[in-house]
Amino acid sequence: MCGDLSSTFRPYNGEKIENPQFLKKDEFVESIHKAKFKNPPNNYKKLTAEEIEAINNKAHASGLMPFQEKGIRPSCALPYELYADGKLAADKKSFEILLKAGKDIFGTNAAGSPFHIYAPGVFRNEAVETWAYAVAAGDALKDSWQITDFENGQYHLRVYGPNGFFREFAGDKNDAALEANAGYEKNAGQVTGNIQLALNNNESRVLEIEITDKSYKTPARSVKLDKQSTKTLVLDLSKSFGWYDFSIKIKGNTVFEKRYAGRVETGKASKSDPLMGNFI
């Protein structure tokens, strides 16, 4: 599945554009020439268990991993309106994920999308199973996984899409009846660039929800949901240029987690990921 490569361009409307700083040709060519006389890398080492764990938990903060040049750049608008939400089936024997490529925001210009789903742990006694999907613009599809197919009956699935789109779901058959849906806030019919999060507590008890920013340093939030109630929250993404990465947990439950990451598309040019560019 191939994207529209013309999306790398945007119209010129007469605005002033800063030229990039040109390289010093002679010095640059000389550095290329000198590279042929360098010794090949030989300072390899076996990583310790602690170093591996640190990389897995926060790879961009590790000095052992390659990193992108610091800074952010202009980033073209892309016509993606993507959704992926998951929940236990009514009988609690399987976990369902609904994938959708919307066209409410961009209409006939909306893009369809590939999605890849990974089971990063043990699934049916095999390590790291994967599934690939393609969803046309304006369409949706659903798939499900039996809880008993996961190790110890604890499901764990990750959803990857284009433009940094990511979702992660973990839990077991004892999950509380909490529905979470991440959508895009609108004002007067226009997308604001913020996430609108709807939380629906179908339990007959109060749930205390913890919402934690995983990357962009916004304060954590704690929300109490009365039994059989719904609450809608808006996550302000103005300081991260529409990029987001947050998790939802239930206080007292160490197994359940839903994680959402990506960038809200508004139809306007934005900035590249400030986390990747070590800008925050």
Side-chain angles (χ1 to χ4, degrees), residues 70 113 221 231:
K70 185 174 182 178
S113 179
R221 300 173 70 170
K231 186 168 289 188

Side-chain angles (χ1 to χ4, degrees), residues 161-176:
N163 198 31
F165 185 88
F166 175 78
R167 301 291 188 261
E168 184 171 18
F169 307 103
D172 58 25
K173 66 179 182 180
N174 299 314
D175 285 353

Side-chain angles (χ1 to χ4, degrees), residues 248-270:
I248 299 172
K249 294 185 177 182
I250 300 174
K251 189 173 182 179
N253 188 326
T254 59
V255 177
F256 177 88
E257 181 177 12
K258 293 187 175 187
R259 184 174 179 181
Y260 301 79
R263 185 177 81 171
V264 177
E265 290 294 338
T266 65
K268 299 178 182 178
S270 183

Side-chain angles (χ1 to χ4, degrees), residues 186-202:
K186 292 183 180 180
N187 183 13
Q190 299 297 313
V191 181
T192 66
N194 297 326
I195 285 288
Q196 183 170 290
L197 180 63
L199 300 172
N200 188 13
N201 178 13
N202 294 314

Side-chain angles (χ1 to χ4, degrees), residues 49-68:
E50 290 77 14
E51 288 171 331
I52 293 172
E53 183 179 3
I55 291 171
N56 287 335
N57 290 334
K58 208 168 186 179
H60 67 274
S62 172
L64 297 170
M65 295 293 288
F67 57 90
Q68 180 172 297

Side-chain angles (χ1 to χ4, degrees), residues 10 71-77 163 238-243 263-265 268-274 279:
R10 59 182 182 267
I72 56 176
R73 300 289 185 271
S75 179
C76 292
N163 198 31
S238 57
K239 293 183 179 179
S240 58
F241 311 105
W243 294 91
R263 185 177 81 171
V264 177
E265 290 294 338
K268 299 178 182 178
S270 183
K271 299 292 184 181
S272 58
D273 185 357
F279 190 71

